[in-house]
Amino acid sequence: MRALIIITLLATLVMAATCYESHESMESHEYLNPFINRRRANGFMQTDMRLEAIAQERIRERNKAPQEHQREICEDYYPCELYASRHGYAAAYRHYYGRRRTK
C-alpha cells in the first residue's frame, strides 16, 4: 500500500512538471485572438508586385530558349513527337527539321 502511494505521488509530480503552462506562451497576442482580419492577412502582398510578376512571366514566355522552341515545334508534329518519345526531343528535331535541303 505504501508503494502505491509513493508511485501515485511520483506520477503526480512528473505530470505537474511536464504539463506546466509557462507565461511565455501567454505573452503571444495570438493566444487570445488567433485570427486576423483580411486586410492585415493580405497586407504582405502588394498589388503592383503581383502585376510586375505577371509582366515578368509574359516576358519569359516571349523569350524562350531555343531548345524549348524546338520542343514545341516537335510536339505539334505527331511523328516527331513519337520519335522524341524514344530518342529525345533534340534528336527528333534534328531528324525531322535539322536536315532541310533547299535546291
Side-chain angles (χ1 to χ4, degrees):
M1 185 69 183
R2 185 179 232 186
L4 184 61
I5 294 173
I6 292 174
I7 291 173
T8 306
L9 287 174
L10 285 175
T12 306
L13 287 173
V14 169
M15 186 181 69
T18 57
C19 297
Y20 173 71
E21 182 76 27
S22 68
H23 292 289
E24 293 173 357
S25 63
M26 301 274 194
E27 290 175 358
S28 174
H29 62 84
E30 296 169 353
Y31 179 74
L32 297 174
N33 189 9
F35 302 106
I36 58 176
N37 64 15
R38 291 180 184 170
R39 189 170 293 151
R40 281 192 57 207
N42 294 328
F44 68 94
M45 269 186 111
Q46 302 296 328
T47 306
D48 57 331
M49 294 299 286
R50 283 183 276 181
L51 293 175
E52 184 178 328
I54 291 170
Q56 289 294 327
E57 181 66 27
R58 297 295 173 246
I59 290 171
R60 281 191 293 268
E61 285 178 3
R62 275 187 265 144
N63 301 331
K64 292 182 180 174
Q67 294 85 1
E68 188 175 355
H69 186 66
Q70 290 174 358
R71 181 181 178 137
E72 288 178 355
I73 290 172
C74 192
E75 284 176 348
D76 290 337
Y77 185 53
Y78 187 69
C80 183
E81 189 174 6
L82 286 177
Y83 192 89
S85 66
R86 286 188 169 212
H87 304 285
Y89 280 100
Y93 185 83
R94 269 186 268 118
H95 180 76
Y96 284 99
Y97 300 104
R99 289 184 259 132
R100 298 232 171 187
R101 296 183 190 135
T102 58
K103 293 183 180 181

